[in-house]
Short mmCIF file of all heavy atoms in Angstrom, two decimals:
data_model
loop_
_atom_site.label_atom_id
_atom_site.label_comp_id
_atom_site.label_asym_id
_atom_site.label_seq_id
_atom_site.Cartn_x
_atom_site.Cartn_y
_atom_site.Cartn_z
N ILE A 1 -6.45 8.62 -14.78
CA ILE A 1 -7.52 7.81 -15.28
C ILE A 1 -7.35 7.66 -16.82
O ILE A 1 -7.30 8.65 -17.46
CB ILE A 1 -8.87 8.40 -14.94
CG1 ILE A 1 -8.97 8.68 -13.45
CG2 ILE A 1 -10.02 7.52 -15.44
CD1 ILE A 1 -10.08 9.57 -13.06
N THR A 2 -7.32 6.46 -17.30
CA THR A 2 -7.18 6.23 -18.76
C THR A 2 -8.51 5.73 -19.30
O THR A 2 -8.98 4.71 -18.83
CB THR A 2 -6.04 5.23 -19.02
OG1 THR A 2 -4.83 5.70 -18.39
CG2 THR A 2 -5.84 5.11 -20.50
N VAL A 3 -9.07 6.44 -20.23
CA VAL A 3 -10.32 6.11 -20.89
C VAL A 3 -10.23 6.30 -22.40
O VAL A 3 -10.03 7.46 -22.81
CB VAL A 3 -11.48 6.94 -20.33
CG1 VAL A 3 -12.81 6.52 -20.99
CG2 VAL A 3 -11.64 6.83 -18.82
N LYS A 4 -10.28 5.26 -23.12
CA LYS A 4 -10.24 5.35 -24.57
C LYS A 4 -9.17 6.28 -25.13
O LYS A 4 -9.52 7.32 -25.76
CB LYS A 4 -11.67 5.81 -25.08
CG LYS A 4 -12.72 4.80 -24.88
CD LYS A 4 -14.03 5.32 -25.48
CE LYS A 4 -15.16 4.35 -25.27
NZ LYS A 4 -16.41 4.86 -25.76
N GLU A 5 -7.95 6.03 -24.92
CA GLU A 5 -6.82 6.79 -25.41
C GLU A 5 -6.77 8.21 -24.85
O GLU A 5 -6.05 9.06 -25.33
CB GLU A 5 -6.87 6.91 -26.92
CG GLU A 5 -6.92 5.58 -27.66
CD GLU A 5 -5.59 4.77 -27.44
OE1 GLU A 5 -4.55 5.40 -27.41
OE2 GLU A 5 -5.69 3.54 -27.28
N ARG A 6 -7.51 8.53 -23.80
CA ARG A 6 -7.50 9.81 -23.18
C ARG A 6 -7.14 9.64 -21.71
O ARG A 6 -7.61 8.73 -21.04
CB ARG A 6 -8.92 10.45 -23.28
CG ARG A 6 -9.12 11.72 -22.52
CD ARG A 6 -9.07 12.92 -23.44
NE ARG A 6 -8.98 14.08 -22.59
CZ ARG A 6 -9.65 15.19 -22.82
NH1 ARG A 6 -10.42 15.22 -23.80
NH2 ARG A 6 -9.48 16.18 -22.03
N GLN A 7 -6.28 10.53 -21.20
CA GLN A 7 -5.84 10.50 -19.82
C GLN A 7 -6.31 11.75 -19.06
O GLN A 7 -6.29 12.81 -19.57
CB GLN A 7 -4.37 10.36 -19.69
CG GLN A 7 -3.83 9.05 -20.07
CD GLN A 7 -2.34 8.95 -19.76
OE1 GLN A 7 -1.70 9.94 -19.44
NE2 GLN A 7 -1.84 7.72 -19.82
N TYR A 8 -6.82 11.51 -17.87
CA TYR A 8 -7.17 12.59 -16.95
C TYR A 8 -6.25 12.48 -15.75
O TYR A 8 -6.21 11.49 -15.08
CB TYR A 8 -8.64 12.43 -16.49
CG TYR A 8 -9.63 12.46 -17.63
CD1 TYR A 8 -10.06 11.28 -18.22
CD2 TYR A 8 -10.13 13.69 -18.10
CE1 TYR A 8 -10.96 11.33 -19.29
CE2 TYR A 8 -11.00 13.70 -19.16
CZ TYR A 8 -11.43 12.49 -19.73
OH TYR A 8 -12.33 12.56 -20.76
N CYS A 9 -5.52 13.55 -15.51
CA CYS A 9 -4.61 13.57 -14.37
C CYS A 9 -5.18 14.44 -13.23
O CYS A 9 -5.59 15.57 -13.49
CB CYS A 9 -3.25 14.17 -14.82
SG CYS A 9 -2.10 14.32 -13.50
N LEU A 10 -5.29 13.89 -12.10
CA LEU A 10 -5.88 14.58 -10.90
C LEU A 10 -4.90 14.57 -9.79
O LEU A 10 -4.17 13.56 -9.61
CB LEU A 10 -7.14 13.85 -10.48
CG LEU A 10 -8.23 13.55 -11.51
CD1 LEU A 10 -9.36 12.77 -10.88
CD2 LEU A 10 -8.71 14.80 -12.16
N LEU A 11 -4.86 15.63 -9.03
CA LEU A 11 -3.98 15.71 -7.86
C LEU A 11 -4.90 15.56 -6.61
O LEU A 11 -5.91 16.19 -6.53
CB LEU A 11 -3.29 17.09 -7.76
CG LEU A 11 -2.34 17.43 -8.90
CD1 LEU A 11 -1.87 18.87 -8.73
CD2 LEU A 11 -1.21 16.47 -8.91
N MET A 12 -4.50 14.68 -5.72
CA MET A 12 -5.29 14.45 -4.49
C MET A 12 -4.26 14.60 -3.35
O MET A 12 -3.06 14.34 -3.54
CB MET A 12 -5.89 13.07 -4.45
CG MET A 12 -6.97 12.81 -5.41
SD MET A 12 -7.57 11.13 -5.22
CE MET A 12 -9.03 11.19 -6.12
N GLY A 13 -4.80 14.87 -2.20
CA GLY A 13 -3.92 14.77 -1.01
C GLY A 13 -3.54 13.36 -0.69
O GLY A 13 -4.16 12.43 -1.14
N ARG A 14 -2.49 13.21 0.08
CA ARG A 14 -2.04 11.82 0.42
C ARG A 14 -3.11 11.02 1.13
O ARG A 14 -3.35 9.88 0.84
CB ARG A 14 -0.80 11.83 1.21
CG ARG A 14 0.40 12.32 0.43
CD ARG A 14 1.61 12.41 1.27
NE ARG A 14 2.68 13.11 0.49
CZ ARG A 14 3.92 12.70 0.43
NH1 ARG A 14 4.31 11.68 1.18
NH2 ARG A 14 4.76 13.38 -0.27
N ARG A 15 -3.77 11.70 2.09
CA ARG A 15 -4.84 10.95 2.83
C ARG A 15 -6.00 10.65 1.93
O ARG A 15 -6.61 9.58 2.04
CB ARG A 15 -5.34 11.85 3.96
CG ARG A 15 -4.29 11.94 5.05
CD ARG A 15 -4.91 12.66 6.24
NE ARG A 15 -3.85 13.34 6.94
CZ ARG A 15 -3.94 14.47 7.62
NH1 ARG A 15 -5.14 15.06 7.73
NH2 ARG A 15 -2.93 15.01 8.26
N THR A 16 -6.34 11.56 1.01
CA THR A 16 -7.45 11.30 0.10
C THR A 16 -7.14 10.14 -0.80
O THR A 16 -7.98 9.28 -1.12
CB THR A 16 -7.76 12.57 -0.70
OG1 THR A 16 -8.00 13.68 0.18
CG2 THR A 16 -9.01 12.37 -1.59
N SER A 17 -5.91 10.15 -1.38
CA SER A 17 -5.59 9.02 -2.26
C SER A 17 -5.50 7.67 -1.53
O SER A 17 -5.89 6.65 -2.07
CB SER A 17 -4.23 9.27 -2.99
OG SER A 17 -3.20 9.34 -2.07
N GLN A 18 -5.03 7.67 -0.27
CA GLN A 18 -5.05 6.47 0.53
C GLN A 18 -6.46 6.00 0.85
O GLN A 18 -6.75 4.82 0.73
CB GLN A 18 -4.27 6.69 1.85
CG GLN A 18 -2.80 6.85 1.67
CD GLN A 18 -2.14 5.66 1.04
OE1 GLN A 18 -2.49 4.56 1.29
NE2 GLN A 18 -1.19 5.92 0.14
N ARG A 19 -7.31 6.95 1.13
CA ARG A 19 -8.70 6.62 1.34
C ARG A 19 -9.35 6.04 0.14
O ARG A 19 -10.13 5.10 0.11
CB ARG A 19 -9.49 7.85 1.82
CG ARG A 19 -10.86 7.48 2.37
CD ARG A 19 -11.57 8.74 2.76
NE ARG A 19 -12.04 9.30 1.52
CZ ARG A 19 -12.83 10.34 1.42
NH1 ARG A 19 -13.28 10.97 2.45
NH2 ARG A 19 -13.21 10.78 0.23
N PHE A 20 -9.02 6.60 -1.06
CA PHE A 20 -9.52 6.12 -2.34
C PHE A 20 -9.11 4.67 -2.58
O PHE A 20 -9.88 3.80 -2.96
CB PHE A 20 -8.95 7.01 -3.50
CG PHE A 20 -9.39 6.51 -4.84
CD1 PHE A 20 -10.58 6.90 -5.37
CD2 PHE A 20 -8.56 5.74 -5.62
CE1 PHE A 20 -11.01 6.46 -6.62
CE2 PHE A 20 -8.92 5.32 -6.90
CZ PHE A 20 -10.14 5.69 -7.38
N LEU A 21 -7.79 4.36 -2.27
CA LEU A 21 -7.32 2.99 -2.44
C LEU A 21 -8.03 2.03 -1.54
O LEU A 21 -8.42 0.92 -1.94
CB LEU A 21 -5.79 2.91 -2.23
CG LEU A 21 -4.93 3.51 -3.30
CD1 LEU A 21 -3.51 3.56 -2.86
CD2 LEU A 21 -5.08 2.69 -4.56
N VAL A 22 -8.19 2.41 -0.30
CA VAL A 22 -8.82 1.49 0.73
C VAL A 22 -10.30 1.29 0.36
O VAL A 22 -10.79 0.12 0.34
CB VAL A 22 -8.70 2.11 2.14
CG1 VAL A 22 -9.59 1.35 3.12
CG2 VAL A 22 -7.25 2.11 2.56
N GLU A 23 -11.01 2.34 0.03
CA GLU A 23 -12.43 2.21 -0.27
C GLU A 23 -12.71 1.53 -1.58
O GLU A 23 -13.77 0.91 -1.74
CB GLU A 23 -13.13 3.57 -0.23
CG GLU A 23 -13.16 4.17 1.16
CD GLU A 23 -13.71 5.58 1.19
OE1 GLU A 23 -13.87 6.18 0.11
OE2 GLU A 23 -13.91 6.12 2.29
N GLN A 24 -11.83 1.66 -2.56
CA GLN A 24 -12.14 1.09 -3.89
C GLN A 24 -11.40 -0.27 -4.10
O GLN A 24 -11.46 -0.82 -5.20
CB GLN A 24 -11.72 2.09 -4.98
CG GLN A 24 -12.42 3.37 -4.88
CD GLN A 24 -13.93 3.23 -4.71
OE1 GLN A 24 -14.55 2.43 -5.35
NE2 GLN A 24 -14.45 4.08 -3.87
N ALA A 25 -10.69 -0.79 -3.13
CA ALA A 25 -9.94 -2.02 -3.27
C ALA A 25 -10.92 -3.23 -3.59
O ALA A 25 -10.55 -4.18 -4.27
CB ALA A 25 -9.16 -2.38 -2.04
N ASN A 26 -12.14 -3.16 -3.15
CA ASN A 26 -13.05 -4.25 -3.37
C ASN A 26 -14.22 -3.91 -4.35
O ASN A 26 -15.16 -4.65 -4.45
CB ASN A 26 -13.70 -4.72 -2.01
CG ASN A 26 -12.64 -5.26 -1.10
OD1 ASN A 26 -11.73 -5.92 -1.54
ND2 ASN A 26 -12.78 -4.98 0.18
N HIS A 27 -14.03 -2.80 -5.03
CA HIS A 27 -15.06 -2.40 -6.01
C HIS A 27 -15.07 -3.42 -7.18
O HIS A 27 -14.03 -3.74 -7.73
CB HIS A 27 -14.76 -1.01 -6.54
CG HIS A 27 -15.94 -0.42 -7.31
ND1 HIS A 27 -16.25 -0.77 -8.58
CD2 HIS A 27 -16.81 0.52 -6.95
CE1 HIS A 27 -17.29 -0.09 -9.00
NE2 HIS A 27 -17.69 0.72 -8.02
N PRO A 28 -16.22 -3.94 -7.56
CA PRO A 28 -16.26 -5.02 -8.55
C PRO A 28 -15.68 -4.63 -9.91
O PRO A 28 -15.07 -5.45 -10.56
CB PRO A 28 -17.75 -5.40 -8.69
CG PRO A 28 -18.47 -4.35 -7.96
CD PRO A 28 -17.54 -3.63 -7.06
N LEU A 29 -15.88 -3.40 -10.34
CA LEU A 29 -15.39 -2.96 -11.66
C LEU A 29 -14.01 -2.35 -11.63
O LEU A 29 -13.34 -2.30 -12.67
CB LEU A 29 -16.36 -1.97 -12.28
CG LEU A 29 -17.74 -2.59 -12.67
CD1 LEU A 29 -18.67 -1.51 -13.17
CD2 LEU A 29 -17.61 -3.63 -13.71
N LEU A 30 -13.59 -1.91 -10.48
CA LEU A 30 -12.28 -1.17 -10.42
C LEU A 30 -11.14 -1.95 -9.78
O LEU A 30 -9.97 -1.62 -10.03
CB LEU A 30 -12.45 0.11 -9.60
CG LEU A 30 -13.26 1.22 -10.28
CD1 LEU A 30 -13.31 2.41 -9.38
CD2 LEU A 30 -12.69 1.59 -11.62
N LYS A 31 -11.41 -3.01 -9.06
CA LYS A 31 -10.34 -3.69 -8.33
C LYS A 31 -9.24 -4.19 -9.21
O LYS A 31 -8.09 -4.23 -8.83
CB LYS A 31 -10.85 -4.74 -7.39
CG LYS A 31 -11.50 -5.92 -8.11
CD LYS A 31 -12.04 -6.94 -7.07
CE LYS A 31 -12.78 -8.03 -7.76
NZ LYS A 31 -13.34 -8.98 -6.81
N ASP A 32 -9.56 -4.62 -10.40
CA ASP A 32 -8.55 -5.16 -11.36
C ASP A 32 -7.87 -4.05 -12.16
O ASP A 32 -6.84 -4.25 -12.77
CB ASP A 32 -9.17 -6.17 -12.29
CG ASP A 32 -9.67 -7.41 -11.59
OD1 ASP A 32 -9.12 -7.68 -10.50
OD2 ASP A 32 -10.64 -7.96 -12.06
N LYS A 33 -8.39 -2.82 -12.15
CA LYS A 33 -7.94 -1.73 -12.93
C LYS A 33 -7.00 -0.82 -12.18
O LYS A 33 -6.32 0.04 -12.75
CB LYS A 33 -9.07 -0.93 -13.58
CG LYS A 33 -9.93 -1.80 -14.51
CD LYS A 33 -11.11 -1.03 -15.01
CE LYS A 33 -11.95 -1.87 -15.89
NZ LYS A 33 -13.11 -1.23 -16.43
N ILE A 34 -7.02 -0.86 -10.86
CA ILE A 34 -6.23 0.01 -10.01
C ILE A 34 -4.76 -0.45 -9.97
O ILE A 34 -4.51 -1.59 -9.70
CB ILE A 34 -6.79 0.11 -8.58
CG1 ILE A 34 -8.13 0.78 -8.62
CG2 ILE A 34 -5.86 0.89 -7.70
CD1 ILE A 34 -8.84 0.92 -7.30
N LYS A 35 -3.86 0.45 -10.29
CA LYS A 35 -2.44 0.11 -10.28
C LYS A 35 -1.72 1.13 -9.37
O LYS A 35 -1.82 2.34 -9.61
CB LYS A 35 -1.86 0.17 -11.71
CG LYS A 35 -0.43 -0.11 -11.83
CD LYS A 35 0.04 -0.01 -13.26
CE LYS A 35 1.50 -0.23 -13.35
NZ LYS A 35 2.00 0.03 -14.70
N ILE A 36 -1.04 0.64 -8.39
CA ILE A 36 -0.34 1.50 -7.44
C ILE A 36 1.10 1.62 -7.97
O ILE A 36 1.77 0.62 -8.17
CB ILE A 36 -0.34 0.93 -6.01
CG1 ILE A 36 -1.73 0.76 -5.56
CG2 ILE A 36 0.44 1.82 -5.06
CD1 ILE A 36 -1.95 -0.01 -4.25
N ILE A 37 1.58 2.87 -8.10
CA ILE A 37 2.92 3.11 -8.62
C ILE A 37 3.61 4.12 -7.70
O ILE A 37 2.98 4.83 -6.92
CB ILE A 37 2.95 3.62 -10.06
CG1 ILE A 37 2.05 4.84 -10.20
CG2 ILE A 37 2.47 2.51 -11.02
CD1 ILE A 37 2.06 5.39 -11.57
N ASN A 38 4.97 4.08 -7.70
CA ASN A 38 5.70 4.97 -6.84
C ASN A 38 5.78 6.42 -7.37
O ASN A 38 5.67 7.36 -6.66
CB ASN A 38 7.12 4.45 -6.63
CG ASN A 38 7.15 3.23 -5.76
OD1 ASN A 38 6.30 3.07 -4.91
ND2 ASN A 38 8.04 2.33 -6.02
N LYS A 39 6.03 6.52 -8.66
CA LYS A 39 6.22 7.83 -9.29
C LYS A 39 5.50 7.89 -10.65
O LYS A 39 5.59 6.92 -11.41
CB LYS A 39 7.73 8.10 -9.45
CG LYS A 39 8.05 9.44 -10.01
CD LYS A 39 9.55 9.61 -10.14
CE LYS A 39 9.89 10.93 -10.81
NZ LYS A 39 11.30 11.06 -11.07
N ILE A 40 4.89 8.96 -10.94
CA ILE A 40 4.28 9.17 -12.23
C ILE A 40 5.15 10.15 -13.04
O ILE A 40 5.42 11.23 -12.56
CB ILE A 40 2.82 9.68 -12.09
CG1 ILE A 40 1.98 8.59 -11.45
CG2 ILE A 40 2.26 10.09 -13.44
CD1 ILE A 40 0.53 8.98 -11.26
N ASP A 41 5.48 9.73 -14.21
CA ASP A 41 6.17 10.63 -15.14
C ASP A 41 5.19 11.27 -16.03
O ASP A 41 4.35 10.58 -16.67
CB ASP A 41 7.20 9.84 -15.98
CG ASP A 41 8.31 9.27 -15.09
OD1 ASP A 41 8.69 9.90 -14.13
OD2 ASP A 41 8.75 8.14 -15.44
N PHE A 42 5.23 12.63 -16.13
CA PHE A 42 4.33 13.36 -16.98
C PHE A 42 4.92 13.45 -18.37
O PHE A 42 5.94 14.09 -18.57
CB PHE A 42 4.01 14.72 -16.43
CG PHE A 42 3.29 14.73 -15.15
CD1 PHE A 42 3.93 14.89 -13.96
CD2 PHE A 42 1.90 14.50 -15.12
CE1 PHE A 42 3.22 14.82 -12.76
CE2 PHE A 42 1.24 14.41 -13.97
CZ PHE A 42 1.87 14.61 -12.79
N LEU A 43 4.36 12.74 -19.30
CA LEU A 43 4.89 12.75 -20.64
C LEU A 43 4.07 13.72 -21.49
O LEU A 43 2.86 13.76 -21.43
CB LEU A 43 4.74 11.32 -21.27
CG LEU A 43 5.53 10.19 -20.51
CD1 LEU A 43 5.24 8.91 -21.12
CD2 LEU A 43 7.02 10.55 -20.50
N VAL A 44 4.75 14.46 -22.31
CA VAL A 44 4.11 15.39 -23.22
C VAL A 44 3.86 14.65 -24.53
O VAL A 44 4.72 14.09 -25.17
CB VAL A 44 4.99 16.61 -23.49
CG1 VAL A 44 4.35 17.58 -24.49
CG2 VAL A 44 5.32 17.32 -22.19
#
């Protein structure tokens, strides 16, 4: 989650993240902000 130059990294189970995507796909404030990616690189 990126908020004002700050990032919050959360680990979820695969089913939980899939449920998150399905349930929030039509959320009026989030649908344009959700980006599905294959791999996340953790940058220091």
Side-chain angles (χ1 to χ4, degrees):
I1 305 165
T2 306
V3 180
K4 293 184 180 177
E5 305 294 324
R6 173 102 193 223
Q7 287 189 348
Y8 299 94
C9 179
L10 310 176
L11 299 175
M12 293 181 167
R14 290 179 190 221
R15 289 185 209 150
T16 306
S17 65
Q18 291 300 321
R19 194 183 75 172
F20 178 84
L21 285 173
V22 169
E23 291 175 351
Q24 302 311 319
N26 296 325
H27 193 284
L29 292 174
L30 290 180
K31 65 181 176 183
D32 296 331
K33 297 176 183 181
I34 294 177
K35 180 180 177 186
I36 302 170
I37 54 178
N38 289 329
K39 183 180 175 186
I40 292 179
D41 294 324
F42 294 102
L43 301 175
V44 178

